[in-house]
Amino acid sequence: MTYDVAIVGVGMTPVGEHWETSLRDLALEASQNALKNAHFSPNHIDGLVIANALGGTLSYQNHISALIADYIGLRGIEALRIEAADASGGLAIRQAALMIQSGIAKTVMVLGVEKVTDVVGSRRNTGLASFTDVDYEAAHGSTPTALAALLMRRYMHDYNLPLTVFEGFSINAHANGSKNPLAMFRNTIKRGKFADAPVVATPVNLFDSAPEGDGAAAIILTSTENAHHHADSPIIQLIGSGVGTDTLALHERKDMLFLHAVNLAAGRAFSQAVKNPQDIQVLELHDSYTVLSALQLEAAGFAPRGEGWKLAFDGIIEPAGKLPISTFGGLKARGHALGATGIYQAAEITLQLRHEAADNQIPNAKVGMALNLGGLGGTAVAHVFERID
Amino acid sequence: MTYDVAIVGVGMTPVGEHWETSLRDLALEASQNALKNAHFSPNHIDGLVIANALGGTLSYQNHISALIADYIGLRGIEALRIEAADASGGLAIRQAALMIQSGIAKTVMVLGVEKVTDVVGSRRNTGLASFTDVDYEAAHGSTPTALAALLMRRYMHDYNLPLTVFEGFSINAHANGSKNPLAMFRNTIKRGKFADAPVVATPVNLFDSAPEGDGAAAIILTSTENAHHHADSPIIQLIGSGVGTDTLALHERKDMLFLHAVNLAAGRAFSQAVKNPQDIQVLELHDSYTVLSALQLEAAGFAPRGEGWKLAFDGIIEPAGKLPISTFGGLKARGHALGATGIYQAAEITLQLRHEAADNQIPNAKVGMALNLGGLGGTAVAHVFERID
C-alpha cells in the first residue's frame, strides 16, 4: 500500500519549564497554532489523536483525549490517546494516518503534549523510569539515563573509542538550537569543552543527555487530495512509515549495541516509501542520548556498525553536511517533551520541506525522515515525508 | 465505508483480585487463550494493540505495548497502547480494525489488561479519579462513584423515581454472572434486597456500583476474507463502529442526564452497520453504575428519555427478554477490569454470536452490540457485530 496522507498544518509551543501553564493550556496553544497554520477551523477536524506519555503518572490525569478535545474546541469528536513512552508521538501520527487511509476520517489533528513540571525530584524520575522494564530494571534503581550510560560504556569498550567521539552530536544540536526561538537551550557548546561537562551517570554527561521539558506540538493530517484542494503551498506527503519493537530490558537483548526496533521500523518505512538512506536530506532522530544517536544511524542504515559516531566526527550531520540531523536543535537543545517529541520532529521536517525553516533551513530539502524512540529503543517509529511541488 | 474485519479468536482470564499475578502474566494468559481459540500461532499476528488504563498510574509501568509484545512471544511486532480511561478497550478494537482495513496489517491482536491490586486504598482511588477532570473534579475530592451518585440523585429527582427502580440491573447482572466461571461475583441478589445494600456514596450502594478488578482479555481480528479461509465455524464480523466524546466534567454538560458521547457513538455505529436499536439481540453495555445503564439505554436509542430504568423493571434486559444485557454478568458481576472491559465485552458478544456461550447463551443471537464508556461518559465507543453463517 501507499499512503494518501499529507501534513497541512503545524503548531508548536516552546519546550521548557512552563510552570504557569497546565497540560490542557499547552495543548490549546499548539492546536491553535496548527489550525492557524493550516488555515483551518475546528469544524474541519474529524478526529483527534493525543500523544502523551506521563499525564497519568505525573499529573494523575488520564482520559485526556476527551478532556483536550473539549478544551480545544472539538467537543464530541472521535478522540484517543496513544502511549508508548517517548515514542507516543510517532505512533500517534501512524494511527492518525490510518484513520485517513481507511476512509473513516478526512482530516485528523495529532497533538503531542507533555507536562513534566507538575512534579520534581524522585517522583519525576519514577515517571521517566516507567519507560523501562519496571520489574527488572527500575526496581533495581536504574533510570533511562543509567541504562544509556551502560550502552555508552559498552559502545566505547567494544569499539575502543574515547568519550570525545560523541562531541559532534551535542555541538551540532546546540548550534542548531541557538537559531530556533522555540528551543529550550539556545547556548552553543564550544568544541573541546564537551568532556568537561558535569557527569550525570558515568560516562553520560550533561551534554550527552537531552533535557525533558514541558511542551506541545500539533500537526494536521488530511488526504492528499484534500491537501491539494486547500493549499497554495507545496504538499508535504507522508510516503512511508514503520514501527518496530524490542525488549524493554537491555539485558534481554542478544546484542545491546544493535537497535533492532529501529532496524525494523526504518526498513519498513524505507520499503513503503521506496527510498533508501541515501535519499534522506534531513533527518530528525531521537537524540535523547548521544550514544542512541550513533546507534540509530547504524541500525537505520546510515552508517556501518560501530561507525555511527563518525557522521558526527566528520561533520556529516551538520547543516552543511550530507545528512543534517537535529536541525532545530533536536531533543538535546530544542528539548525533549517526551510524548510530544515525535510530533515536534514531524512539524520540523514539514517546515524544512516547505522551505519555511528560516535560520534552520537545509537548502532544497525535498525528502525528510523522523526516527522516534520509546525509552532505550523498546519501540521505534520511522516516518518518511516528501515535498510534492 | 464498510468494515472488512472479523473476530477469529477470544481469550479471557477471570476478573478478580489476582494478587499473585503480574500485569504481564495476566496479559500472557489471555493472549495464549485467544491464540488457542483461533487456532493461530504468534507468527500469524502482524500487530498488537494494548488497552490499559492505569499501568502508568498504579504500577508506574508505561510503555507496556513493547513490554507485553516481547513477553507474549511477539518481539519485534508493531505494538501500541491506547488509553481513554475505561473506554480504552473499545478504542483499541477500533484502531486495530483500522490497521486491517487500511491494509497495513492482516491480523491484529487486541489485548486489554488491567492490574489494580498493585495498590490499595487512597492510591487506587487517585487512579480511578484520574478518569475524571482532575483539576476541576478530583481536586475537590470527587471520585467516579461520587459523580455517579450526583447523576443518580438527579435522575431520581427529575423523573420522580425511588431508588428501587434500578434494582433490576443488578439482579440481572448477578443472575447472569452466577453462571459465568470467569465472573468476579457469582452470588445472586434477591429481589427486594437491593435497597438494603451498604451505601457507597448516597444514593449509590454496593449493588449499584461495579467492582474494579484485575483481568485481561484478548481478541484476534483479521480480514473477513482471511477469517473465511481459516475458520470452519461461523464468522463474527465487525459491521459498525463509532466513537464520541463529551466533557469529562459533569458540571460542563448542558444536560447531565443525556450521555451525548453515547448518542454520537451509537448513532455512528448504527449508521455504518445499517442497523437500528430494534436489530440488537444482545447488548453488552457499560454498567459501571446502574444509573449509567439507564442513561446509556436512553442515549443509544433503546428507550425514551427518562425511561431506561423501565427496561430493567419490566425484565426486558433479562436473558429471556427482548434486549438481554450484561449476559455474562457485565461490569457489575463479571467484574470491571477497566481498560480491559471493552475487550471482555467484544469477547462475550463473540461467544454469544457463535452460540458458544454455554449457560449464558441467548438463543439464536445473530447481531450484538457493545457500548464501552470512559469515566462518566467523557468517551463512548460503540461496536456492532454480526454472525455470518
Side-chain angles (χ1 to χ4, degrees), chain A residues 73-373:
Chain A
L74 301 173
R75 189 183 296 184
I77 203 171
E78 172 165 6
L80 63 145
R81 169 200 171 203
I82 289 178
E83 183 274 318
D86 36 350
S88 306
L91 285 175
I93 294 170
R94 168 109 166 142
Q95 290 302 122
L98 295 183
M99 289 170 75
I100 294 166
Q101 189 75 16
S102 65
I104 67 132
K106 191 163 156 190
T107 304
V108 178
M109 181 183 285
V110 194
L111 174 51
V113 57
E114 205 68 55
K115 176 70 180 167
V116 296
T117 51
D118 273 0
V119 298
V120 292
S122 71
R123 269 193 58 208
R124 194 188 293 179
N125 281 332
T126 300
L128 295 170
S130 75
F131 297 173
T132 72
D133 188 325
V134 170
D135 292 350
Y136 293 92
E137 293 182 323
H140 302 284
S142 70
T143 61
T145 304
L147 293 163
L150 294 179
L151 275 184
M152 193 172 189
R153 190 181 284 281
R154 179 66 167 265
Y155 192 94
M156 289 161 64
H157 175 269
D158 279 16
Y159 302 127
N160 194 24
L161 295 167
L163 181 70
T164 48
V165 302
F166 295 99
E167 181 184 53
F169 289 112
S170 302
I171 291 172
N172 173 63
H174 276 257
N176 294 339
S178 73
K179 300 174 198 159
N180 175 8
L182 302 178
M184 186 165 178
F185 289 125
R186 302 192 59 191
N187 60 307
T188 56
I189 296 176
K190 286 203 177 68
R191 205 162 284 279
K193 290 292 180 191
F194 176 77
D196 299 337
V199 169
V200 184
T202 319
V204 171
N205 70 34
L206 263 189
F207 291 164
D208 282 308
S209 57
E212 75 270 11
D214 303 327
I219 60 174
I220 295 173
L221 298 180
T222 193
S223 66
T224 306
E225 188 192 343
N226 200 36
H228 278 293
H229 185 66
H230 273 271
D232 33 357
S233 50
I235 302 302
I236 308 306
Q237 200 170 351
L238 172 63
I239 58 170
S241 123
V243 180
T245 54
D246 199 350
T247 68
L248 294 199
L250 291 185
H251 62 260
E252 293 280 357
R253 298 183 190 170
K254 275 184 194 149
D255 180 348
M256 206 193 270
L257 294 185
F258 186 69
L259 295 176
H260 191 57
V262 171
N263 187 255
L264 289 169
R268 290 165 184 171
F270 281 132
S271 163
Q272 189 185 21
V274 197
K275 299 284 179 191
N276 62 47
Q278 288 71 42
D279 296 318
I280 303 301
Q281 294 165 300
V282 53
L283 172 66
E284 292 303 323
L285 52 65
H286 196 95
D287 57 332
S288 48
Y289 301 97
T290 52
V291 65
L292 280 186
S293 295
L295 292 173
Q296 280 167 84
L297 290 169
E298 297 169 19
F302 294 103
R305 294 283 311 264
E307 299 187 13
W309 61 274
K310 284 189 184 171
L311 275 63
F313 199 80
D314 297 339
I316 291 166
I317 61 163
E318 295 171 14
K322 268 195 176 168
L323 184 69
I325 71 168
S326 307
T327 62
F328 284 81
L331 285 63
K332 179 68 194 78
R334 177 244 293 133
H336 186 18
L338 306 179
T341 281
I343 317 295
Y344 276 94
Q345 293 177 320
E348 290 165 350
I349 296 275
T350 300
L351 294 177
Q352 289 289 3
L353 302 187
R354 280 181 180 171
H355 305 164
E356 295 176 357
D359 293 346
N360 297 94
Q361 185 63 50
I362 305 302
N364 303 315
K366 286 197 68 174
V367 180
M369 184 176 200
L371 275 177
N372 186 202
L373 297 195

Side-chain angles (χ1 to χ4, degrees), chain B residues 11 40 48 70 76 206 226 264 289 295 332 382:
Chain B
F40 276 19
L48 175 68
D70 172 43
L206 261 189
N226 199 37
L264 289 170
Y289 301 97
L295 292 174
K332 179 68 195 78

Side-chain angles (χ1 to χ4, degrees), chain B residues 172 175-176 179 315-322 324-325 327 360-363:
Chain B
N172 173 63
N176 294 338
K179 301 174 197 161
I316 291 165
I317 61 163
E318 293 171 17
K322 268 196 176 168
I325 71 167
T327 63
N360 298 94
Q361 186 64 49
I362 305 303

